[in-house]
Amino acid sequence: KAGVTQTPRYLIKTRGQQVTLSCSPISGHRSVSWYQQTPGQGLQFLFEYFSETQRNKGNFPGRFSGRQFSNSRSEMNVSTLELGDSALYLCASSLMGLAGGTDTQYFGPGTRLTVL
Amino acid sequence: AQKITQTQPGMFVQEKEAVTLDCTYDTSDPSYGLFWYKQPSSGEMIFLIYQGSYDQQNATEGRYSLNFQKARKSANLVISASQLGDSAMYFCAMREGNTGGFKTIFGAGTRLFVKA
């Protein structure tokens, strides 16, 4: 079974631009979450989607948005990029998002975004 | 507030020896999942082991075992017979929530160096 895939793997943008990152979950997985990883802040939760609905959102400005499609694929968008948005963006999928966090999240390889 | 603490920024271990990576957590939710992930320099987060809050026995996965002490809110990872390929960052994570939304929070990580 194929793992979580993310595209693109690397991206270079300039300040003020916008960017869209894509994530394809493991087949059959319906929950997709996004995380931002930086050396200073570590791994931070961005948002979680299940059945095309955002179920939870972390403490990020409105410039960060996302969506999930009917096939569970997800995209996240960052508008008006800032230098501080440079990070590794990780997507993770899990089967159902069961109560108690009992289903395991599997991560993709990440998209490394550099903002110049 | 939910919190994960990893107090060891870096650890050294001799090849073939066992090593314990510490993790403590804080939550008021009775139902949660605890995870350990390995992140090599490539950036991908690799799932290692899971422990549910209601599990009576400590989880084991090959050379990985989780020393779960619920009363002390600790979930230490034990790697037996360390290998050079175990050199990486290790993250402890806690996932909690319900069908209204899930969130995973991560510790700051421990960088493990395995010496030949």
Side-chain angles (χ1 to χ4, degrees):
Chain A
K1 189 182 260 191
V4 180
T5 58
Q6 291 186 245
T7 56
R9 293 292 310 279
Y10 302 91
L11 207 50
I12 299 176
K13 293 285 188 179
T14 56
R15 279 181 300 174
Q17 287 186 310
Q18 77 164 20
V19 66
T20 299
L21 312 181
S22 181
C23 170
S24 292
I26 292 171
S27 178
H29 284 196
R30 295 170 63 189
S31 173
V32 174
S33 297
W34 289 89
Y35 299 85
Q36 181 196 64
Q37 186 178 25
T38 60
Q41 299 297 318
L43 276 151
Q44 293 186 288
F45 170 74
L46 279 158
F47 22 66
E48 186 225 359
Y49 287 89
F50 180 81
S51 291
E52 302 177 66
T53 300
Q54 186 181 91
R55 287 200 301 192
N56 205 354
K57 182 173 167 59
N59 295 325
F60 279 83
R63 299 186 297 107
F64 292 81
S65 63
R67 59 177 175 169
Q68 186 181 34
F69 302 94
S70 59
N71 61 358
S72 294
R73 190 177 70 85
S74 177
E75 289 181 346
M76 69 162 279
N77 183 277
V78 188
S79 62
T80 319
L81 284 166
E82 301 177 359
L83 295 178
D85 297 333
S86 293
L88 179 67
Y89 290 88
L90 291 161
C91 164
S93 76
S94 63
L95 193 59
M96 288 283 288
L98 295 173
T102 54
D103 58 341
T104 298
Q105 283 187 301
Y106 295 92
F107 283 79
T111 294
R112 192 167 295 278
L113 172 66
T114 302
V115 182
L116 303 175
Chain B
Q2 310 149 345
K3 191 175 180 181
I4 294 280
T5 303
Q6 294 180 255
T7 57
Q8 306 152 313
M11 288 277 289
F12 286 87
V13 65
Q14 196 68 39
E15 191 179 13
K16 299 180 185 177
E17 291 186 350
V19 63
T20 298
L21 306 184
D22 295 341
C23 172
T24 59
Y25 62 93
D26 190 20
T27 180
S28 57
D29 196 328
S31 183
Y32 50 89
L34 296 161
F35 300 84
W36 278 91
Y37 289 90
K38 172 185 177 182
Q39 188 177 43
S41 55
S42 61
E44 186 167 0
M45 297 285 281
I46 302 168
F47 165 71
L48 295 178
I49 196 166
Y50 159 80
Q51 179 86 42
S53 59
Y54 294 116
D55 293 344
Q56 296 296 314
Q57 296 199 340
N58 289 340
T60 59
E61 289 282 352
R63 294 187 299 112
Y64 305 106
S65 61
L66 200 153
N67 185 0
F68 181 46
Q69 298 187 42
K70 193 171 183 177
R72 297 179 60 185
K73 293 190 175 179
S74 75
N76 298 338
L77 176 70
V78 180
I79 306 175
S80 62
S82 296
Q83 302 171 356
L84 295 178
D86 293 335
S87 293
M89 278 291 283
Y90 288 82
F91 291 96
C92 179
M94 178 172 64
R95 183 160 169 80
E96 60 183 14
N98 52 49
T99 51
F102 285 89
K103 181 176 180 177
T104 302
I105 58 169
F106 290 83
T110 296
R111 185 169 294 280
L112 179 65
F113 300 91
V114 181
K115 301 182 290 183

